[in-house]
Each structure stands twice: as C-alpha cells, then as structure tokens.
Amino acid sequence: MDGFPMDYEMFDLGNFRLQGGATIRGARLAYKTYGELNAEKSNAIVYPTWYSGRHWDNEWLIGEGKALDPSKYFIIVPNMIGNGLSSSASNTPAPYNAGSFPNITFYDQVEAQHQLVSGKFGIETLALVTGWSMGAGQTYQWAVSYPDMVQRALPFCGSAKTSEHNFVFLEGVKAALQADAAFKNGCYTEQPTRGLRAVGRVYAGWGFSQAFYWDRVYEKMGFSARLGVDLAYSSLEDFLVGYWEGHFLGQRDANDLLTQLWTWQHGDVGATPGFDGDHIKALQSIKAKLIALPARKDLYFCPEDEEYASQYIPNGEVRVIPGVWGHFAGSGDNPVDAAYIDSVAKELLER
Amino acid sequence: MDGFPMDYEMFDLGNFRLQGGATIRGARLAYKTYGELNAEKSNAIVYPTWYSGRHWDNEWLIGEGKALDPSKYFIIVPNMIGNGLSSSASNTPAPYNAGSFPNITFYDQVEAQHQLVSGKFGIETLALVTGWSMGAGQTYQWAVSYPDMVQRALPFCGSAKTSEHNFVFLEGVKAALQADAAFKNGCYTEQPTRGLRAVGRVYAGWGFSQAFYWDRVYEKMGFSARLGVDLAYSSLEDFLVGYWEGHFLGQRDANDLLTQLWTWQHGDVGATPGFDGDHIKALQSIKAKLIALPARKDLYFCPEDEEYASQYIPNGEVRVIPGVWGHFAGSGDNPVDAAYIDSVAKELLER
C-alpha cells in the first residue's frame, strides 16, 4: 500500500509450504532489526507483530534503558504473514491474491520466522520471545515449536489456544466487515470502507474494558509511545471515529485483516505437528521460563485463559496487568501499562 | 409482519407526542394481559418487553405457582413502541415509516404504558414492575416517572442509565447492520438479511459470557421456558446460526431494531422531565422497594452499573444472579436462572 515507511528488510522464503497444504510462491517476510547480534549469537530477541499491527507499532517497547535495549540485544521484529508487509492477500500476484490467499496458522508464522532467525542470522538460541495479542500467540508457538531454542517467553494479552468466546468475538468482527457489499467476497477494487468502519465500532467495545468507558479515559489517554503523540478525544463519538475507525482505515486491507483473523481464530499450540491436537501436551513441552501477562479486564483474552494454560507449563507463571485498559493495556498507548510490561520483561531477562 | 400470533390487544394512544417533539399519529400499544384485575385494582403488575422481544417472549416468568401468578395478579405485558407490534417503523404508514420513524425514549415508553394502565384499566397502584434488559430500563423509568404508583420494582439485567460501554457495544451492533448496503438507509423493500445475520454474530460474543463458551454450555442448554423447547446445539457454528442468526432473522425488522437500539442507547432516568438530566436526583426520588438483579458475568449490563445506581435508591438493593450465562441469564432460556429470578420476585412481592 502507498505511504508505508520503507525502513524494513525483506527475507525471501522461497516457495513456502503451509501446514494446510497450500504454497505461497515467492513468499517474503518483512522484518526490522534493532541493535547488533553479538559474536556468540546469544542476545537475540524475537518480537512478532499483532492483529493489524506492523513492526513500527512494536517499537514503543524497544529503546535504550528499556528491557528491550538495542545496545544489549539484537531485536528482530518479523511482520506476520498477512499483515500487508510480509506476503499477504494485498501484495501477492494473482491467482493467489485477494480471497484466494491461503490460510496461515501460528505454526506457519513461526516456521517462516525461524527460517529468518536461523537461516539468515544463524541464531540457535533466543534470549526472549515476546509479543502482544497475536504476538503473544506467536510467542507461545515459538516456545512449543522450538523448546530448546527459546530461553524465555513473555506473551502479553494473548493465549496459547484461542478460546471459543474469543473466536465468537472475531466472528462478529468478520461478519461486520463482510456485511459490506463493497467487500465483494474479497474481490473489491477499493477498500470496503463502510465495513472497515463497522469493524472499528465492533472492536471498540471489546478493545477497552467497561471501566475504561465508565471513567471516560478516552478524554485523557496521555502519551502513546506507539503513536508518538498525546491522545485525547473530545467525546465518545470522537474516540470511535478518531481512534477506532481511524485505526482500521489506516492502510489496512480487508482481505489482509481476514487472513490474520483466520490465524487468530485457529490459534492452538496443540495443532503443532507431533502433538496430535493435544494442547496440554504441547504446553507441557515448553522449556522456556515463561511469564504470561494478561490484562485484568481484557474482554477477549481473559486472564482465566492464561491461568488455565499456565498450570501445564513447567516454568510458567502468570502476572496480571492491573488497570482498566483491558486488552489495549498491551498496545503501548498507555504509559502506565507500558512501564509495567517493560518492568516484567526486565525481571524475566535477568533470570 | 406475517405469521405473528394475534393473541394480543391494541390500545389506541391517539396522536402520541414524544419527548423529542415528534408525534406518532394514531399511535398504538400492543399488549396482553394475564389474570384478572381485582375489585380494589391493587393486584396489577407491569412487565415490559426487551430489545427485539415481544410479549410472548416474556411469558416464561408468568404462570400458576410462580411469582407472577395469574390466579393472584393481573399482569400486563406492553410491547415496546418500536418492537414491531406496537407502533413501529415497520407498521406505521408513510411518511413516518422506515428511517423516518421518530426516536423514542424510555420516558415515552412509560408514558404510553401509563395511558394504558391508568386510562384504560383505571389502575392507580402497581404491585410490581419488572422486566429484563430494556424491560429493566423501563422498570427503572416507571419507578422514577410514577414513584407513588410503583410499590415494588424488580429490574433484571438492565440499568437506570445506559453506560458508555454499553452504548459502544450497541454502536457495533448498529454498524454491522448498516454496513449491509441492502439496508439502503432504512428504505429497503426486503430485510437486509446479511446485516441481520451480522448483528447476530456481533451479539453472540456479548450475550453470553466468556465462561459460557469455555464450558460449551450451548451443547446442552436445556429447556427454554421462553421458547418451549429443549435447546442443544451440535457445534459452535450451529449455535451461531441457529440461536443467533435465527433470532435476528426471526420476524425482526431492521428499522424496528434501530428504533429500539436508539431507545436503549439513550436510556437515562435523569432525562425524565423535572430532573434536568440529573440521574442521581432521579434515582433518589424512587419510592418503590427495588431489587436490582444483574447477572454476575453480564458483559454489557455489568453488576457495577446496578451497584452504582443502588447507592442512590432509598429502598434499593442488589442481588447478583450467579452462573455463567451473562446477560442471557434473564432470557428465560436457562431454567436455573429463571428459577432464581422467580424466587426473588416472590420474595419481593411478599414485602
């Protein structure tokens, strides 16, 4: 899409065969790195993107003095396949474009990232894998796919297996988008903006907690380290249009959103080859020191999901991000939550 | 609409002037009564309908041996204006039909119902007002509009003032419906079924709690006293189509749903004339013995809303419906929750 920053690299995945049987021909992984890989190749961190996010949306957690300090670590942010920068419906040539872009699993995402990490950089150990939301899903998947490689894992506001309620929430998002006839079953020539705005409005009630709205936090959100600006909205409607509709109209492609949505809905570490669908066995195989960081009032990645998974992870632990931001505690838009996540990341990296 | 039961009466409201300034000409209130009004006219109960509900959807709480026993009480179930039976976009002649049907407040709803109760039946005291969801909103409104008339009030899973989060949830519902181009800004000739199905899918995540889906309660819901059948769905998708899409395709009109949605979004007892927008003052004026019955895991009418309101209601009290059904604890579809609500209604009626 037009107007994207070009501050990233492309890794060639060749003909990338997917878990579901399809092949992305000439598949590419867009990524950005921060800091330098040390001689022992022991200081690498992988920090995947989230639903509709791009690598620059992750940068708020990276910086001098922070846990993810580029003067200490080599931080790789791979863009999810389907996010519009890596291979996606929106940038793949016909006939595999648009509604015919294949389904991608979390396992596929991590396989692609592993090719980059191992194949290009020769890295065999990861000091940390971390990520928000679907980035947390990829974190769990890394810990299951490569248990000997992942030393530490910090999934925040995400789960090892997408719960059925979470799946249903996403059905609502999907149905709102597809209700727009301009979507044309994926064969649109212009973005179905009415549907994208509807997605924003459906999402708005889920992204933040009831208490966030009760307290009208949107009137004074403060400095967003993600967006680099002070956020404040003059009314609820202003927030719905400015923050939510704006997010989904902001260089997001409808088919790409559906690709990522499918990945999310089908998140399940038990689907990793070798575990025969058994997510408990998959969780039990994790060797990483893992701290799961759900947000207290997250409405779709409830803390209960992480508590459930944690009981099976040998070195698993759960800390709950306090406050009223709900899922978006992990967005980087709230300085208090951002500091909390950073402090836990520091603690984990010191273990 | 075709195929509706004709087991109800029509009360003529004449030219019914609304709080917002519009007039519904030849306005009509559809209602049904159960039991007999006693000579003292002291045994009347008003039990309004809920969003998309019709009087027959309320009947599960009425019956011999139940709190709402027609051998003891005269129970009036008025259909909300806008629900498709009372005056609505779908049954009002042009030019006031379709997208030009006016906005109705909870105050308007209760004014219309008061004309029926007082004007037609000559009732000056109500033993109880009760209702689910928007029916609870009307219950609060009754207690504020007619404090000397309402002896007891039992709002379940609803609030005196619609919270901003609840408003936002409804924005998502509305946007999903309106994303369907077949909606044609309300000027459709056939129902926008794609949008109505999308509404069902958006609603699905909100109507029941995360734990409901976690436990897969939909596989064995049991006997629905509302629908008169055993409910059980063979898969999540079966539930989404059968229960949720089916609900909104089931003789629901898109414009009528939007009329009711506007009423809901603007629920506020403080908007009652004389209170100048001050909902606290309005709550303080309630004289009824009132028990609010939120459901523990209700995602849009959170127990916190009722706790907040209760502190200002002189004879107010809150009991929380336990369990995982969330908002739909009050639907009549769960026998356990239905029995709980009935037992509290009995207790309140004995005071």
Side-chain angles (χ1 to χ4, degrees):
Chain A
M1 302 183 101
D2 296 338
F4 273 142
M6 288 301 296
D7 63 340
Y8 56 92
E9 310 289 321
M10 276 293 189
F11 177 70
D12 190 355
L13 291 161
N15 291 338
F16 185 67
R17 193 186 158 90
L18 300 162
Q19 208 179 0
T23 296
I24 307 177
R25 286 162 179 84
R28 305 196 310 162
L29 202 61
Y31 68 97
K32 187 168 176 179
T33 64
Y34 306 81
E36 305 292 332
L37 186 60
N38 63 15
E40 303 80 29
K41 301 193 174 185
S42 64
N43 69 335
I45 290 176
V46 172
Y47 178 19
T49 60
W50 39 274
Y51 184 69
S52 82
R54 285 77 59 111
H55 60 272
W56 59 82
D57 292 306
N58 276 7
E59 292 180 349
W60 58 272
L61 196 59
I62 301 170
E64 207 136 336
K66 292 180 178 165
L68 273 60
D69 189 333
S71 71
K72 291 189 204 165
Y73 293 104
F74 179 60
I75 303 148
I76 306 167
V77 178
N79 287 272
M80 263 199 290
I81 296 175
N83 87 332
L85 293 183
S86 292
S87 286
S88 300
S90 65
N91 62 21
T92 295
Y96 297 109
N97 63 332
S100 297
F101 193 77
N103 294 328
I104 317 289
T105 62
F106 278 112
Y107 174 80
D108 294 327
Q109 299 283 3
V110 169
E111 284 305 289
Q113 293 167 23
H114 183 261
Q115 286 196 25
L116 168 70
V117 168
S118 165
K120 178 171 176 74
F121 296 111
I123 295 167
E124 286 174 11
T125 185
L126 292 170
L128 177 72
V129 182
T130 187
W132 177 45
S133 197
M134 284 183 77
Q138 291 164 84
T139 300
Y140 279 110
Q141 186 62 54
W142 261 104
V144 169
S145 290
Y146 296 98
D148 292 316
M149 190 168 174
V150 179
Q151 306 305 307
R152 295 170 198 81
L154 183 74
F156 49 104
C157 312
S159 66
K161 184 177 192 301
T162 301
S163 75
E164 289 206 358
H165 176 266
N166 200 333
F167 184 100
V168 171
F169 144 59
L170 293 168
E171 280 298 299
V173 170
K174 186 171 75 177
L177 178 56
Q178 295 182 335
D180 185 352
F183 174 68
K184 295 180 182 168
N185 291 319
C187 295
Y188 48 83
T189 46
E190 289 183 9
Q191 294 298 325
T193 53
R194 195 195 301 224
L196 289 168
R197 287 179 190 270
V199 165
R201 291 200 177 237
V202 170
Y203 229 111
W206 291 111
F208 295 95
S209 77
Q210 297 95 342
F212 174 95
Y213 288 102
W214 186 274
D215 297 342
R216 293 189 178 166
V217 177
Y218 55 82
E219 289 180 349
K220 189 88 197 93
M221 294 170 80
F223 183 73
S224 163
R226 176 172 69 94
L227 300 166
V229 291
D230 274 316
L231 295 177
Y233 295 90
S234 53
S235 69
L236 183 59
E237 179 65 14
D238 188 46
F239 179 60
L240 293 176
V241 174
Y243 191 88
W244 282 108
E245 295 188 4
H247 180 87
F248 287 100
L249 292 177
Q251 299 177 313
R252 266 79 181 188
D253 174 84
N255 284 320
D256 291 351
L257 289 173
L258 292 177
T259 298
Q260 295 169 77
L261 190 147
W262 190 96
T263 306
W264 181 349
Q265 284 191 315
H266 295 83
D268 181 4
V269 291
T272 309
F275 292 105
D276 198 25
D278 186 340
H279 66 271
I280 295 176
K281 230 186 221 170
L283 291 168
Q284 288 168 336
S285 75
I286 293 176
K287 294 183 180 170
K289 299 180 191 87
L290 185 148
I291 301 181
L293 265 186
R296 184 165 66 98
K297 288 180 174 286
D298 194 322
L299 292 175
Y300 45 95
F301 284 110
C302 304
E304 287 86 347
D305 298 7
E306 283 92 329
E307 296 282 1
Y308 168 82
S310 181
Q311 66 184 312
Y312 301 112
I313 301 172
N315 297 304
E317 183 186 336
V318 178
R319 302 275 180 88
V320 179
I321 306 171
V324 301
W325 275 57
H327 189 67
F328 272 59
S331 65
D333 291 346
N334 181 17
V336 176
D337 296 330
Y340 184 88
I341 295 162
D342 182 58
S343 74
V344 178
K346 276 182 178 140
E347 181 190 328
L348 182 59
L349 279 167
E350 277 160 19
R351 287 189 191 171
Chain B
M1 302 183 98
D2 296 338
F4 274 141
M6 290 299 296
D7 63 340
Y8 57 91
E9 310 288 323
M10 276 293 189
F11 177 69
D12 189 355
L13 291 161
N15 291 338
F16 185 68
R17 193 185 159 89
L18 299 163
Q19 208 179 359
T23 297
I24 307 177
R25 287 161 178 85
R28 303 195 314 161
L29 202 61
Y31 68 97
K32 187 169 176 179
T33 65
Y34 307 81
E36 304 292 332
L37 186 61
N38 63 15
E40 301 80 29
K41 300 191 174 186
S42 64
N43 69 333
I45 290 174
V46 173
Y47 177 20
T49 59
W50 39 274
Y51 184 69
S52 83
R54 284 79 57 112
H55 60 272
W56 59 83
D57 291 305
N58 276 7
E59 292 180 350
W60 59 272
L61 198 59
I62 302 170
E64 207 136 336
K66 292 181 178 163
L68 274 59
D69 189 333
S71 72
K72 291 189 203 166
Y73 294 104
F74 178 60
I75 302 147
I76 305 167
V77 178
N79 287 273
M80 265 200 290
I81 295 175
N83 87 332
L85 293 182
S86 293
S87 284
S88 299
S90 65
N91 62 22
T92 295
Y96 299 110
N97 62 332
S100 298
F101 192 76
N103 293 328
I104 318 288
T105 63
F106 277 114
Y107 174 79
D108 294 326
Q109 299 283 2
V110 168
E111 285 304 288
Q113 293 168 22
H114 183 261
Q115 286 196 25
L116 169 71
V117 169
S118 166
K120 179 173 173 75
F121 295 114
I123 294 167
E124 286 172 11
T125 187
L126 292 170
L128 178 71
V129 182
T130 188
W132 177 47
S133 196
M134 285 184 77
Q138 293 165 82
T139 300
Y140 279 110
Q141 186 61 54
W142 261 104
V144 169
S145 291
Y146 296 98
D148 292 318
M149 191 168 173
V150 179
Q151 306 304 308
R152 297 169 197 82
L154 183 73
F156 49 104
C157 312
S159 66
K161 184 176 192 301
T162 300
S163 75
E164 289 205 359
H165 177 266
N166 199 331
F167 185 99
V168 171
F169 144 59
L170 292 168
E171 280 299 298
V173 170
K174 186 170 75 180
L177 178 55
Q178 294 182 336
D180 185 351
F183 174 66
K184 296 180 181 169
N185 291 321
C187 295
Y188 48 83
T189 46
E190 288 183 10
Q191 294 298 326
T193 53
R194 194 193 305 220
L196 290 168
R197 287 179 191 271
V199 165
R201 289 199 179 237
V202 170
Y203 229 110
W206 291 110
F208 295 94
S209 77
Q210 297 94 341
F212 174 94
Y213 288 102
W214 186 274
D215 297 342
R216 295 190 176 165
V217 177
Y218 55 80
E219 289 180 348
K220 188 88 199 92
M221 295 170 78
F223 183 73
S224 163
R226 176 172 70 93
L227 300 167
V229 291
D230 274 315
L231 295 177
Y233 295 91
S234 52
S235 69
L236 183 58
E237 178 66 14
D238 189 45
F239 179 59
L240 293 176
V241 174
Y243 191 88
W244 282 108
E245 296 188 3
H247 181 86
F248 286 100
L249 293 177
Q251 299 177 316
R252 266 80 180 187
D253 174 85
N255 285 319
D256 291 350
L257 289 173
L258 291 176
T259 297
Q260 296 169 76
L261 189 147
W262 191 96
T263 305
W264 181 348
Q265 284 191 314
H266 295 83
D268 181 4
V269 292
T272 309
F275 292 105
D276 198 27
D278 187 340
H279 65 271
I280 294 175
K281 229 185 222 172
L283 291 168
Q284 287 167 337
S285 76
I286 293 176
K287 296 183 179 170
K289 299 180 192 90
L290 185 148
I291 302 180
L293 266 185
R296 184 165 67 97
K297 288 181 173 285
D298 194 321
L299 292 175
Y300 45 96
F301 284 110
C302 304
E304 287 85 348
D305 298 6
E306 283 92 329
E307 296 282 1
Y308 169 82
S310 181
Q311 65 184 314
Y312 301 113
I313 301 172
N315 296 304
E317 183 186 337
V318 178
R319 303 274 179 87
V320 180
I321 306 171
V324 301
W325 275 56
H327 189 66
F328 272 60
S331 66
D333 291 346
N334 181 16
V336 176
D337 295 330
Y340 184 88
I341 295 163
D342 183 58
S343 74
V344 178
K346 275 183 179 140
E347 182 190 328
L348 181 59
L349 278 167
E350 276 159 19
R351 286 189 192 171

